[in-house]
Structure formats: structure tokens, C-alpha cells
Amino acid sequence: MSLFCNKQDGNLRILHIIASVAKETGGPVEGLTQSVQYRLTQGQHIEVVTLDDVNASFLNEFPCKVHGVGPTPKKYGYTPKLAQWIVENAHRFDAAVIHGLWNHGAVGGWQGCVKSGLPYVLFTHGMMDPWFKKTYPLKHWFKQLFWLVQGRALRDASEVLFTSEEEKRLAHGVFWGYRYNPRVVAYAAADVPAENVEDKTAFLKCVPNLNGQPYFLYLSRIHEKKGCDLLLEGFAKAVKRNELQLVMAGPCHNDFIDRLKDLAKKLGISNRVHWAGMLKGAAKSGAFRGAEAFVLTSHQENFGIAVAEALAYGKPVLISDQINIWREIEKGGAGIIDSDTIEGATSVIAKWEDMSIEHRRQMSLSARKVYVENFTVKAAAEDLTDVLKKAIKSGVGIV
């Protein structure tokens, strides 16, 4: 039995273990950032350990203390220093949260927690979705072999956390060999910051040719999984207004963005597509505030934190049904949903174009309502706190 089973929220000492806290790595970092910021206000003591280079400047941008144990090899990130750090520091924490799979942050985190007897829970962050099995079958077989190790991290967790019922359902049976305790927890995006006159200016510096015209906003990684090609095809086919533009905002780590630019040129829309790069702070806020709607025709999203962010700004979302929170959005009338195909992308945009101004306004109000009812940081942080208290009380991980 854990010694800390009677801990109150303000006395909890929590360690988060994640491969990287670099913002360009995607949604899990943003979700973690918002959760930490809220739970710090509730008096929790929180620290993070990562595979990042100990001298990385972005470690100091995170809202709590971050310990980098790198540099490590880029592909998998193996280093014995992670488990060693956890063993040496476990006495300072009541429980841990491991984020993600298929990297040494998850495996080394598991090794350190088990060796030190530190109870932990594990977020899969969509990394057990069958889309990967279907799209990359050879990689899936390598992952199934690696599951002999990775699966133990799920088996030994107090609970394995999913951010929607759909994510949990899809993950069932994708890998075989170990049982685990699944649980769906609330997940969140940050609420809208106070409006700043600099927001619009900061955004427009990133898209100098927008010239005050209306636009759809795509804000995510520029990656094959995100269905960016489908979006360009759908935009070219469905948009009726000559003035409507498409802003593509996000980082890209290979030549995929060049192929997309070639596609936009082939489709005859290159002058209407604006490549903004990764947006942060005021520029990101300005992009959301000015957008007519948010678009993401992704092939797979366990949650889609940018979708929830758009809802917070009261922006209708035009998305695929492979984003696992689509049911909440459809039920609340906060967007338009179709398949992750060219036809689906064309359909959601065409339906928006045919919609009356009043209907769009009502959908905007519904978007904000769906955010408040489902995706606030407060609800997600409180849910995670309850999960951690249960892990501490059960003593899972104690040896």
C-alpha cells in the first residue's frame, strides 16, 4: 500500500515522463502544458523528465521544471540515463504519468517506475490506432515484436488512459500479448486568451499576401496522416467564392510540404493557399480569431487538440470522421463531418459554402458551447488528478 493514499490535491507530487516537450512534436505537449499550468494553481508539485538535450533552450519555456537527460539518438532516443534519473528521484514523487509509446520515453519511463516502485499511469495518445496498422503493415509487425517490451509498460500501469471512447474502442485488439486496465479521461485545450490588439498584426506578418480576405484555417503538423492533400483537393473542387483563402499553418519535418505546394499549383490554387509555418502565441491566437472556419481532414486523430482549440474560439470545424471527438461535435452541431477521402473533404467544404450566414453564426455559437461542455482544462485536470489518486492508493508499481 502506498504511503501517500491520503494525499490532497495540493500535496500531490507528480512526475511526467515524455519523449520531448518541444512544441513542434504535436498535440500531447500542448495538452500537457495546459494540464500542468492548471494543476500548479491547485498547489500540486509537478516536474517533467524528457529525452531532450539537457541544454535545449525550450526546456525553460515550459511552465514547470523540466529535466532533460539527452542528447539521445533521434529515432528511438535510447539512453540508460532516463531510468537511472527516475530511480534516483522517485522518492520525491507520489506518482508518475508516462506519455506516448514506441520511444524510449515510454520504455525507460516504465523501467524506472517499476524499479523504484513509483505508481504510474500511461497515456497512449492515439498510438494504438489501427490506421497505422493498415497504412504501415511492415512497421506494425516490427511494433508487434517490440510489444514484448512495450506491452509491459501498459500491463504494469495502474491504468492506461484514452482521451475518448472511440480511441479506446479502436485500440482494443490491435496488439496482442498483454492485458491492461483501460480508462477514458477528459482531455482539453486551452481556453481563449484575452484579446490583444497585437494578435492580428502578428498573424498577418506570417501571411503577408492574405490582404484581409476570408480564410479557412488548417493548424497542425504538415504530415501525410493529416490528410493535407485531401484538403487541397477538396478546397479546389468545392469553394465557390473567389475571395476565400486557405491558411496552412504548422511545421513540416520532410519534403511533404514541397509535394503539397506542387499539388496546389497543379490544382490552380497556389495563389490562394498561404503557408504560414508554425504559429505560436499572438500569431496563433490571431489566426484562430480571424478564421471563418477550422479545417482538418485527417486520416487519424485520437483527440485533435487543435480542433478543440478552434471550438474554444467559437469556430465551426470542418473535419473527417477519423478525428475521435467527431461524435461530440456532431451531436452539438459544432461542425461538418465526412469521410477522410477527397469526396469527404469536398463535401464538408461544399456544405459550408452552401450554408446561410445565419446558419454559420449559429454553428459558431454551438462550437463554443461544445468546448465548454466537453473540453475545458479544468475538467481534464481534475479527471487526471482523480486517476493519479487512485494509482497512489492502489500502490500499483510498488515492489
Side-chain angles (χ1 to χ4, degrees), residues 189-202:
D191 203 349
V192 178
E195 188 165 6
N196 191 314
V197 293
E198 297 179 359
D199 292 355
K200 183 176 180 180
T201 302

Side-chain angles (χ1 to χ4, degrees), residues 46 55 64 73 101 136 156 198 243 268 282-283 319 340 346 355 363:
I46 305 170
N55 296 313
C64 71
L101 303 173
Y136 306 110
D156 295 341
E198 297 179 359
E243 69 273 20
I319 61 173
D340 60 325
T346 303
M355 195 177 289
M363 188 171 281

Side-chain angles (χ1 to χ4, degrees), residues 283-303:
K284 179 179 176 181
S285 181
F288 273 120
R289 290 185 194 281
E292 191 169 287
F294 180 83
V295 286
L296 183 62
T297 52
S298 184
H299 294 296
Q300 186 276 326
E301 298 286 340
N302 71 297
F303 181 77

